[in-house]
Amino acid sequence: MTEEAYARAEADREGFWAEQAERLDWGRKWDRVLDWDNPPFAKWFSGGTINAAVNCVDRHVQAGRGDKVAIHWVGEPVDDTRDITYAQLQDEVNRAANALTELGVAKGDRVAIYLPMIPEAVITMLACARLGAPHTVVFGGFSADALASRIVDCGAKVVVTADGGYRRGAPSALKPAVDDAVAKADGLVEHVLVVRRTGQDVAWNESVDKWWHDVVDAQSNEHVAELHDAEHPLYVMYTSGTTGKPKGILHTTGGYLVGTSYSHWAVFDLKADTDVYWCTADIGWVTGHSYLVYGPLANGATQVLYEGTPDSPHKGRWWEIIEKYGVTIFYTAPTAIRTFMKWGRDIPAGFDLSSIRVLGSVGEPINPEAYVWYKENIGGGAGDGAGAPVVDTWWQTETGQILISPLPGVTEAKPGSAMRALPGIVADVVNDEGESVPDGSGGYLIIREPWPAMLRTVWGDDQRFKDTYWSRWPGVYFAGDGAKKDEDGDIWVLGRVDDVMNVSGHRLSTTEIESALVSHPKVAEAAVVGATDDTTGQAVCAFVILRDSAGDEDAADNADIVTDLRNHVAKEIGAIAKPRQVMVVPELPKTRSGKIMRRLLRDVAENREIGDVTTLADSSVMNLIQTGMNTSDD
Ligand code: PRX
């Protein structure tokens, strides 16, 4: 990608996207690049037909690259590795597609995937894409309840899971949560396909459960793929919003694949023949979808897929993997970088990381200290000792693809800034009235023009799609983030301006956690805020008022309740949502109209002087809160 692409895309945006679409194999070519006749419902490459799995796998085999490694899979137990070539991936995807067909999955049916980071996760996603059966991947850290609500919301008839996976040196279980979720989904799930990963004992329900090795391994490795309409649904990914219920973000096939393959190539300066790429995201998040499955595989890249945690069996595991496979492009999150900073530079210094030439960051703003540490300590061997370029990539589950990022070799990056919109993307920062702010000012981050990988709707709820993203200023996509433009017009993303928290790069809704807390019989009222945290960016802090019957204000009783409530949230939503702190308080600060003033609670959670309390209905409440609170932060 070169500087001239920005001007070319600006002069003819649709022409530019059509050019990018030529990177893929189409059945029938599109009639129109963009149909925006009925905004905000976009159709990209309308009239075109395409198969995502064929583009990610078969076409590389047909082009004579079947022996190229698609995935260097690294299990968490040392030496548990597998290299999978594109030809082998094709066989496996075909078998899985045949197996799903045998289980009654047809085009349009939904399949839920609840798997660890094992090859079967990628294989199942591609098999679904091949059949045109939208997948919904649920992160393995989500609870049975969260899994059940996603299964029910999108009506999944098959669930693909494993007996467990390896994390932090020990097998962890997955199947019990699926059993629970299947029971809660009340007859909706017809089959559960179970990969044997750890060999641990699992409960078995003969009427729905089937082993992967029994059903898939016996299938033919041939499968004739159907071409799907460019707008055929590819997947639904649930994400937290400002209300209690997660939204099913719908991505479709043609535009999504164009957007992800283009951005993966442009942002990482991909040279598919020589690069070894590694994105550390879990497949259960959008980054795992766009930049671990669809983008890199559509581009025919060779990549690493690692099952476990960075500290197992030692804190240099990631760097050992980079050294072993000669990783050239590495993509991770600021929270991980900050953790490595704490562990010390000696750990990466013990490994040969000289293969690295591009570093990426995603999920939350990267603070300049982390940026510089990353460039120097992980990318230090690149660029004649100047360090590898770091691309700070801004995007969202909804955007499907990276929208704002520097380009290596093109943009002179600034630590902490996502810089400018990619060629083909029109982003801006606006004020309350929706007017573009001048350079040097802050406001709301918006996208002015549709882009190929944009979400198409919220599953089953077009109105919510319109209200959430397109109603604040007509015709403009509002991302929910605040940002500023510096004196050069470069963009600095500041973080969410709504009730969404960002914990370790994962999106969590304050209201969803509040609902979980008040569902506990002892809780009368709850308010949740995201407080700044050195490692995770933000941390969940909850303030709860107990019901009268919950006991007296005795500190020992409260300590039990705090533990109980933290576990309750983990059970309701998942361990990622477990509050760092629960504070039992006698009152919550409210305005005269009854709105909770989270700003003041954030002051308490961050140990700051309490801000302006003049709008409180009862200004003595903050004194009560500060003297009466009870905390836990194990
Ligand atoms: O607040 C922004 C933050 O993460 C949000 C999107 O979260 P999610 O849909 O879970 O997707 C995460 C992976 C793409 C955004 O609204 N965010 C993401 N990347 C950045 C970021 N904030 C600042 N800088 C980034 N590079």
Side-chain angles (χ1 to χ4, degrees):
M1 183 93 342
T2 56
E3 179 69 37
E4 123 336 293
Y6 290 97
R8 190 156 43 91
E10 202 175 313
D12 177 11
R13 227 165 32 80
E14 290 185 21
F16 177 82
W17 286 120
E19 216 179 278
Q20 306 314 320
E22 297 289 353
R23 316 165 60 77
L24 302 175
D25 278 1
W26 295 80
R28 184 175 181 277
K29 274 278 163 68
W30 54 91
D31 304 317
R32 286 173 80 180
V33 174
L34 170 64
D35 171 349
W36 193 231
D37 295 348
N38 180 28
F41 299 97
K43 290 187 184 149
W44 279 88
F45 307 104
S46 59
T49 61
I50 190 166
N51 187 295
V54 168
N55 273 278
C56 288
V57 184
D58 304 47
R59 69 174 178 139
H60 306 309
V61 179
Q62 279 149 22
R65 294 192 294 271
D67 291 338
K68 186 174 187 228
V69 172
I71 295 171
H72 290 297
W73 178 72
V74 183
E76 194 184 84
V78 173
D79 295 332
D80 186 5
T81 61
R82 221 177 124 190
D83 284 348
I84 303 168
T85 64
Y86 274 96
Q88 289 165 338
L89 188 60
Q90 184 178 37
D91 285 352
E92 304 252 1
V93 172
N94 287 351
R95 281 200 187 96
N98 286 323
L100 290 173
T101 307
E102 190 177 289
L103 295 180
V105 174
K107 181 169 176 169
D109 290 342
R110 276 79 63 203
V111 174
I113 301 176
Y114 190 67
L115 280 170
M117 292 281 281
I118 55 177
E120 286 81 357
V122 180
I123 292 163
T124 307
M125 287 166 75
L126 291 169
C128 289
R130 201 173 174 94
L131 297 174
H135 52 72
T136 190
V137 183
V138 180
F139 174 58
F142 276 120
S143 66
D145 285 0
L147 174 62
S149 72
R150 285 155 173 77
I151 289 172
V152 169
D153 189 76
C154 74
K157 63 196 268 192
V158 168
V159 180
V160 183
T161 189
D163 55 356
Y166 289 96
R167 277 192 87 71
R168 300 220 153 76
S172 64
L174 277 177
K175 177 86 170 27
V178 176
D179 296 343
D180 221 10
V182 168
K184 287 194 164 92
D186 215 10
L188 184 67
V189 176
E190 294 168 17
H191 300 286
V192 176
L193 198 53
V194 188
V195 178
R196 184 141 68 200
R197 166 71 187 125
T198 62
Q200 63 193 291
D201 283 339
V202 287
W204 204 252
N205 176 351
E206 288 296 340
S207 63
V208 289
D209 293 341
K210 305 217 157 35
W211 284 111
W212 173 285
H213 52 260
D214 286 341
V215 181
V216 181
D217 292 0
Q219 302 291 333
S220 156
N221 62 353
E222 310 232 327
H223 178 268
V224 180
E226 185 186 331
L227 288 157
H228 305 298
D229 188 273
E231 282 298 335
H232 187 74
L234 181 62
Y235 70 83
V236 181
M237 168 106 271
Y238 286 85
T239 189
S240 293
T242 50
T243 61
K245 190 169 166 256
K247 298 181 289 251
I249 302 300
L250 174 69
H251 285 292
T252 59
T253 310
Y256 176 80
L257 211 57
V258 171
T260 52
S261 61
Y262 154 74
S263 53
H264 179 254
W265 163 78
V267 169
F268 298 107
D269 180 35
L270 180 78
K271 303 194 174 13
D273 289 341
T274 49
D275 275 320
V276 179
Y277 166 85
W278 182 15
C279 166
T280 65
D282 192 282
I283 236 157
W285 304 104
V286 75
T287 310
H289 283 50
S290 298
Y291 297 108
L292 200 151
V293 178
Y294 292 107
L297 294 176
N299 287 337
T302 292
Q303 67 177 323
V304 169
L305 174 69
Y306 172 53
E307 177 186 32
T309 54
D311 54 355
S312 190
H314 58 79
K315 291 186 167 124
R317 186 75 195 271
W318 278 12
W319 321 127
E320 188 177 70
I321 293 171
I322 291 182
E323 179 180 283
K324 175 171 177 191
Y325 292 101
V327 170
T328 57
I329 305 172
F330 183 63
Y331 192 29
T332 194
T335 185
I337 299 165
R338 288 192 297 265
T339 302
F340 296 127
M341 285 172 77
K342 275 199 202 154
W343 292 349
R345 62 178 69 217
D346 289 353
I347 295 176
F351 298 88
D352 179 3
L353 307 180
S354 60
S355 54
I356 294 282
R357 63 178 196 88
V358 178
L359 293 171
S361 170
V362 62
E364 53 176 318
I366 179 164
N367 46 313
E369 300 74 31
Y371 180 107
V372 171
W373 188 94
Y374 190 33
K375 187 176 177 76
E376 287 178 353
N377 292 284
I378 308 306
D384 298 329
V390 177
V391 288
D392 175 9
T393 64
W394 177 86
W395 60 295
Q396 306 175 298
T397 306
E398 292 87 341
T399 70
Q401 64 174 98
I402 296 168
L403 296 188
I404 306 180
S405 170
L407 296 176
V410 178
T411 322
E412 190 86 39
K414 301 170 188 168
S417 170
M419 300 302 291
R420 63 199 280 205
L422 296 187
I425 304 297
V426 189
D428 200 357
V429 179
V430 299
N431 61 17
D432 281 321
E433 283 68 50
E435 299 153 352
S436 187
V437 301
D439 291 349
S441 311
Y444 305 99
L445 182 60
I446 56 136
I447 310 296
R448 288 203 183 281
E449 300 288 343
W451 63 99
M454 66 197 280
L455 76 165
R456 297 304 195 263
T457 191
V458 171
W459 184 261
D461 201 343
D462 287 348
Q463 194 57 43
R464 194 172 177 199
F465 167 63
K466 285 197 214 168
D467 293 347
T468 311
Y469 304 104
W470 302 91
S471 64
R472 186 121 174 208
W473 301 285
V476 167
Y477 172 82
F478 174 47
D481 280 318
K484 68 171 190 200
K485 284 192 230 169
D486 67 14
E487 298 299 338
D488 303 320
D490 292 321
I491 293 176
W492 297 66
V493 181
L494 302 172
R496 306 291 303 193
V497 293
D498 51 13
D499 291 334
V500 172
M501 292 172 286
N502 191 325
V503 178
S504 298
H506 298 151
R507 243 162 99 167
L508 296 172
S509 151
T510 52
T511 10
E512 197 182 345
I513 300 176
E514 286 166 3
S515 309
L517 285 165
V518 295
S519 75
H520 189 284
K522 290 186 176 163
V523 175
E525 228 183 312
V528 165
V529 296
T532 307
D533 184 281
D534 280 352
T535 308
T536 58
Q538 283 188 314
V540 180
C541 292
F543 294 78
V544 296
I545 303 178
L546 298 179
R547 282 180 195 278
D548 291 344
S549 60
D552 57 21
E553 296 300 307
D554 184 85
D557 272 8
N558 281 350
D560 286 348
I561 269 232
V562 161
T563 312
D564 209 23
L565 291 178
R566 293 178 71 233
N567 292 336
H568 179 70
V569 173
K571 185 190 151 283
E572 291 284 307
I573 302 173
I576 44 164
K578 200 169 175 173
R580 182 187 71 181
Q581 285 174 291
V582 175
M583 309 189 200
V584 178
V585 294
E587 285 296 339
L588 288 171
K590 288 186 187 154
T591 59
R592 280 174 205 95
S593 59
K595 198 167 174 306
I596 292 175
M597 292 191 71
R598 290 203 173 78
R599 172 173 61 78
L600 298 177
L601 294 175
R602 218 170 285 128
D603 289 341
V604 175
E606 294 176 354
N607 288 323
R608 254 198 319 269
E609 194 134 314
I610 307 293
D612 184 5
V613 294
T614 48
T615 49
L616 278 184
D618 173 2
S619 60
S620 64
V621 161
M622 291 315 292
N623 295 336
L624 272 176
I625 290 178
Q626 281 190 303
T627 44
M629 74 195 190
N630 205 294
T631 70
S632 157
D633 51 6
D634 60 335

